[in-house]
């Protein structure tokens, strides 16, 4: 059914995009059972870890459902959380930044009043992980998502957490393009780092309004940095379209 995947884009992203396309096109219809994990590994030529990560993303996006002892099945098609079909790459990622501004501003506000000591530790560890990933030559996308995810989880609002997970693939694509833009300049990277730490500092200080402002300011600046990117960057960013188009 599937061809082996390869190339510069992360393998888990490619596998998630491939499976999403099969579902969106109807070749894998509602109620169909996906090939087994072993079979996907064989057909796609990737590791079990890659397959599991891709399936996890599709599950969080509401496309598939594992059933104990039976297999993984395609769920009924649900309405897209965002209409991205008509937008070009620049418009997509700016719109995603605007969406994140609304959700994550409120998440930071709630986190400042509800986060436990353990939650704060996880946030600090997530920021350290971003620094480590960048220092090792990585893009820090997963670590960036983990930081913002830790804030949402600290709110105790399961609907908010579930919504962010549902939007995970859209957010992942936006963050990947955003961080690719910011990696072009050291001052951008340092600004992002300072913005992240400002959010955490406000949450640790239990200043809810300051936390909301810091989170919104972070997304405003992310959108501004994207708007300032030249046409050459956006031409290169088209290579990252798979992350955006994989979203349900």
């Amino acid at each position: 059914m599937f061809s082996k995947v390869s190339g510069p884009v992360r393998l888990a992203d490619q596998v998630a995009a491939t499976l999403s396309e099969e579902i969106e096109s109807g070749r894998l219809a509602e109620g169909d059972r996906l090939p087994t994990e072993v079979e996907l590994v064989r057909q796609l030529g990737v590791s079990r870890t890659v397959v599991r990560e891709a399936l996890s993303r599709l599950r969080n996006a509401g496309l598939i459902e594992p059933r104990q002892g039976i297999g993984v099945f395609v769920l009924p098609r649900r309405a897209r959380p965002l209409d991205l079909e008509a937008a070009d790459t620049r418009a997509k990622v700016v719109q995603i930044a605007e969406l994140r501004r609304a959700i994550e501003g409120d998440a930071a506000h709630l986190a400042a009043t509800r986060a436990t000591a353990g939650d704060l530790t996880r946030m600090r560890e997530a920021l350290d992980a971003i620094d480590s990933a960048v220092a090792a030559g990585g893009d820090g996308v997963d670590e960036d998502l983990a930081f913002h995810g830790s804030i949402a989880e600290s709110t105790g609002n399961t609907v908010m957490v579930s919504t962010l997970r549902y939007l995970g693939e859209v957010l992942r694509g936006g963050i990947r393009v955003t961080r690719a833009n910011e990696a072009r300049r050291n001052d951008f990277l340092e600004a992002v780092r300072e913005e992240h730490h400002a959010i955490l500092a406000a949450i640790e200080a239990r200043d809810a309004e300051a936390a909301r402002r810091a989170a919104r300011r972070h997304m405003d600046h992310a959108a501004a940095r994207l708007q300032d990117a030249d046409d050459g960057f956006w031409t290169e960013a088209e290579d990252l379209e798979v992350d955006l188009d994989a979203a349900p």
Side-chain angles (χ1 to χ4, degrees):
M1 178 183 292
F2 304 110
S3 300
K4 287 184 170 56
V5 296
S6 62
V9 181
R10 282 179 47 134
L11 292 178
D13 295 335
Q14 294 184 66
V15 171
T18 296
L19 295 175
S20 294
E21 172 58 26
E22 292 296 310
I23 294 170
E24 294 293 329
S25 69
R27 289 187 291 272
L28 279 173
E30 174 185 339
D32 282 353
R33 184 169 60 183
L34 269 64
T36 66
E37 183 180 289
V38 171
E39 185 61 20
L40 287 173
V41 167
R42 186 188 67 79
Q43 291 188 33
L44 295 165
V46 296
S47 69
R48 286 195 173 194
T49 299
V50 168
V51 168
R52 288 171 182 170
E53 182 178 349
L55 292 177
S56 176
R57 294 182 191 176
L58 297 188
R59 183 178 66 253
N60 290 337
L63 293 179
I64 61 173
E65 176 186 60
R67 298 175 187 169
Q68 186 66 34
I70 302 176
V72 179
F73 292 82
V74 178
L75 288 174
R77 181 183 175 88
R78 298 193 290 191
R80 292 175 180 269
L82 292 174
D83 179 10
L84 298 176
E85 293 301 318
D88 61 18
T89 301
R90 187 187 304 238
K92 287 179 186 179
V93 293
V94 171
Q95 288 167 6
I96 290 167
E98 292 172 350
L99 173 66
R100 291 180 61 204
R101 180 183 190 275
I103 296 177
E104 294 185 14
D106 284 348
H109 181 276
L110 291 173
T113 64
R114 300 178 181 177
T116 66
D119 292 328
L120 295 175
T121 296
R122 282 186 287 275
M123 292 178 206
R124 287 190 291 269
E125 289 174 346
L127 288 186
D128 289 342
I130 295 174
D131 291 342
S132 296
V134 172
D139 57 17
V141 172
D142 289 334
E143 294 78 12
D144 196 313
L145 276 169
F147 170 62
H148 291 284
S150 68
I151 294 174
E153 289 171 1
S154 75
T155 68
N157 185 323
T158 57
V159 175
M160 180 178 287
V161 173
S162 295
T163 298
L164 284 171
R165 285 177 179 168
Y166 180 74
L167 296 173
E169 292 306 318
V170 179
L171 299 184
R172 184 180 297 277
I175 291 173
R176 190 176 300 284
V177 175
T178 300
R179 291 195 67 88
N181 173 54
E182 291 161 350
R184 297 179 304 126
R185 291 171 46 176
N186 287 334
D187 58 330
F188 279 1
L189 284 175
E190 185 56 32
V192 173
R193 188 176 188 279
E194 290 177 359
E195 289 161 18
H196 279 159
H197 280 271
I199 297 170
L200 178 56
I203 293 173
E204 289 179 322
R206 304 298 182 180
D207 190 332
E209 287 303 322
R212 175 185 277 150
R213 288 194 301 271
R216 289 183 172 180
R217 187 182 306 115
H218 172 47
M219 297 318 307
D220 285 341
H221 290 176
R225 286 187 286 264
L226 287 165
Q227 293 282 26
D228 288 343
D230 58 30
D231 290 339
F233 167 76
W234 288 108
T235 298
E236 295 174 2
E238 295 296 335
D239 293 337
L240 302 175
E241 273 292 297
V242 62
D243 293 301
L244 300 169
D245 294 337

